[in-house]
Amino acid sequence: MPGKFHHEEIYRGPECLNRLAAVRLTLCGAGALGSHLADNLVRQGFRRLRLIDRDRIEEHNVSTQLFGEADVGAWKVDILRSHLFRAAGVEVDTVAKELSERNARKLLRDSDVVLDT
């Protein structure tokens, strides 16, 4: 039976998937763009993600972000972490803080790629 990345293996090949899985990617922002981007990245084979966002989910986020009404009030990174695990079995590192000049060096260390959304 084909695995969960069957189509990605056909399209990209196992070697490429192994390289994607090794990339340490930090995603700054888990809102409208960041939540959907994180979902797509793990479904394409990225496995080592860190999510940074300082916000909680508000009701007006439900129409544009990957969150539902039951998630209102929770930290965006916590709900997104759960979603990504359920969607693709990926465990991600989360930081519920604002990225600033003062903490950027610490929060972005060990990242191969940083995406600011």
Side-chain angles (χ1 to χ4, degrees):
M1 174 163 320
K4 62 185 164 187
F5 297 104
H6 176 71
H7 295 284
E8 294 302 320
E9 286 179 356
I10 291 170
Y11 179 69
R12 291 189 170 88
E15 183 181 315
C16 182
L17 280 182
N18 289 336
R19 288 196 320 259
L20 290 177
V23 172
R24 295 171 300 203
L25 189 139
T26 298
L27 189 58
C28 306
L33 179 58
S35 64
H36 291 286
L37 184 57
D39 184 63
N40 280 291
L41 290 170
V42 299
R43 290 172 189 270
Q44 291 179 20
F46 285 89
R47 296 277 161 269
R48 300 179 70 187
L49 269 69
R50 176 180 296 135
L51 304 172
I52 302 171
D53 194 295
R54 66 177 173 90
D55 290 335
R56 291 182 180 269
I57 300 164
E58 298 180 38
E59 187 174 19
H60 68 268
N61 299 141
V62 173
S63 65
T64 59
Q65 300 175 19
L66 207 59
F67 311 114
E69 289 181 354
D71 302 324
V72 172
W75 293 105
K76 289 181 179 181
V77 292
D78 290 342
I79 299 302
L80 189 52
R81 176 189 332 139
S82 295
H83 172 82
L84 297 175
F85 183 79
R86 286 190 317 273
V90 175
E91 294 189 27
V92 299
D93 178 31
T94 60
V95 180
K97 290 184 179 181
E98 180 173 7
L99 181 64
S100 67
E101 186 177 333
R102 197 173 68 231
N103 65 15
R105 185 179 307 273
K106 179 181 177 184
L107 294 180
L108 302 178
R109 73 171 182 262
D110 300 328
S111 299
D112 296 318
V113 177
V114 176
L115 299 174
D116 183 9
T117 63

